[in-house]
């Protein structure tokens, strides 16, 4: 079955860096766009970034532009999010999700990994 | 871009129908038939319930339906069941000059 498993979350100090990974299985990863979406504790969902199937097209939310970098390795069926210059407001559960190219919907989602930015 | 506007909470009794609204602007909901809806139970990942405004993914109950009028999208759940109690989020493509996806603030559905 289609499965997405995130890893790499944890506690990091403001200004620090963290790299999240998402391992995909059960589908042809290289055929699909992918996204990162986050949810601050007790808050709603916020789209973070989007990458095309080949990795040639990438978009970011204004809130993370210039600090976060999305990438993928189709040979390893893996999605990544490099997060630099982290701020307290980046504290959230980060979900990876398979993105549908033309409907801009997300299905399925991984279970999420918690990133806490605190001194 | 601002988040889409949803009511904070709605409630209904088992067997009843409820509707959750999602109000955007002419730059997002009003311009594209690209609204999706997600169900999230506590501590769980969101699940896609509706895409492209009114289409249901395989496996989603036909008790869930979506529609749109102008800048407002709606999710209707008929024949409410206890298991429907969850948070619901709408989402819309909000492109034009730059790629963007915007979510609503979420609606807590309580089944009385």
């Amino acid at each position: 079955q289609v499965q997405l498993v995130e890893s790499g979350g944890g506690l990091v100090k403001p200004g620090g860096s963290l790299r999240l990974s998402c391992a995909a299985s059960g589908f042809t990863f290289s055929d699909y766009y992918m996204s990162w979406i986050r949810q601050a504790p007790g808050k709603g969902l916020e789209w973070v970034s989007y990458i095309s199937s080949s990795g040639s097209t990438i978009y970011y939310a204004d809130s993370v532009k210039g600090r976060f970098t999305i990438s993928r390795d189709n040979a390893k069926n893996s999605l990544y999010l490099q997060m630099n210059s982290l701020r307290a407001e980046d504290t959230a559960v980060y979900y990876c999700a398979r993105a549908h190219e033309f409907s801009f919907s997300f299905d399925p989602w991984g279970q999420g990994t918690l990133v806490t930015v605190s001194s | 871009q601002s988040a889409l506007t949803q009511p904070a909470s709605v409630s209904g009794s088992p067997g009843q129908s409820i509707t959750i609204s999602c109000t955007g602007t002419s730059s997002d909901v009003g311009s594209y038939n690209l609204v999706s809806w997600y169900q999230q139970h506590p501590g769980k990942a969101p699940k896609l319930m509706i895409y492209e405004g009114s289409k249901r993914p395989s496996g989603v109950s036909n008790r869930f339906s979506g529609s749109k009028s102008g800048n407002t999208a709606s999710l209707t759940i008929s024949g409410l069941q206890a298991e429907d109690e969850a948070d619901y989020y709408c989402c819309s493509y909000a492109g034009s000059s730059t790629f963007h996806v915007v979510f609503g603030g979420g609606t807590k559905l309580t089944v009385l």
Side-chain angles (χ1 to χ4, degrees), chain A residues 8-119:
Chain A
L11 175 63
V12 61
K13 289 181 168 54
S17 298
L18 212 54
R19 188 195 196 207
L20 306 184
S21 299
C22 172
S25 60
F27 66 101
T28 305
F29 181 71
S30 59
D31 284 349
Y32 287 88
Y33 284 50
M34 298 293 294
S35 254
W36 288 99
I37 297 158
R38 67 184 180 183
Q39 185 171 35
K43 301 296 185 182
L45 300 168
E46 180 188 15
W47 169 75
V48 172
S49 186
Y50 187 81
I51 185 169
S52 63
S53 53
S54 66
S56 60
T57 300
I58 286 172
Y59 300 107
Y60 298 100
D62 288 344
S63 58
V64 307
K65 202 173 294 182
R67 300 187 300 121
F68 289 13
T69 301
I70 191 172
S71 62
R72 64 190 296 160
D73 185 335
N74 286 342
K76 294 183 177 179
N77 291 337
S78 292
L79 176 72
Y80 306 101
L81 186 67
Q82 177 67 44
M83 303 185 296
N84 298 331
S85 303
L86 283 162
R87 306 166 180 167
E89 54 264 35
D90 295 318
T91 294
V93 173
Y94 284 74
Y95 296 100
C96 73
R98 190 173 67 177
H100 291 264
E101 179 180 358
F102 300 111
S103 70
F104 301 102
S105 59
F106 306 102
D107 176 52
W109 299 50
Q111 87 289 349
T113 187
L114 176 62
V115 172
T116 303
V117 184
S118 174
S119 55

Side-chain angles (χ1 to χ4, degrees), chain B residues 63-82:
Chain B
R63 297 186 299 106
F64 292 82
S65 62
S67 63
K68 190 186 88 166
S69 177
N71 295 337
T72 298
S74 298
L75 173 71
T76 297
I77 308 174
S78 59
L80 268 181
Q81 299 179 359

Side-chain angles (χ1 to χ4, degrees), chain B residues 12-102:
Chain B
S13 299
Q16 287 186 330
S17 293
I18 62 95
T19 297
I20 298 172
S21 62
C22 170
T23 301
T25 70
S26 57
S27 297
D28 39 62
V29 175
S31 285
Y32 310 97
N33 200 24
L34 295 172
V35 173
S36 50
W37 288 90
Y38 302 86
Q39 176 192 65
Q40 186 180 35
H41 288 108
K44 300 295 187 180
K47 175 187 175 185
L48 178 66
M49 305 303 284
I50 296 288
Y51 67 100
E52 292 180 16
S54 60
K55 297 179 181 179
R56 274 189 312 275
S58 173
V60 172
S61 170
N62 60 9
R63 297 186 299 106
F64 292 82
S65 62
S67 63
K68 190 186 88 166
S69 177
N71 295 337
T72 298
S74 298
L75 173 71
T76 297
I77 308 174
S78 59
L80 268 181
Q81 299 179 359
E83 69 215 47
D84 299 332
E85 184 163 297
D87 292 326
Y88 291 84
Y89 293 91
C90 62
C91 175
S92 176
Y93 176 69
S96 70
S97 58
T98 181
F99 180 95
H100 192 70
V101 169
V102 61

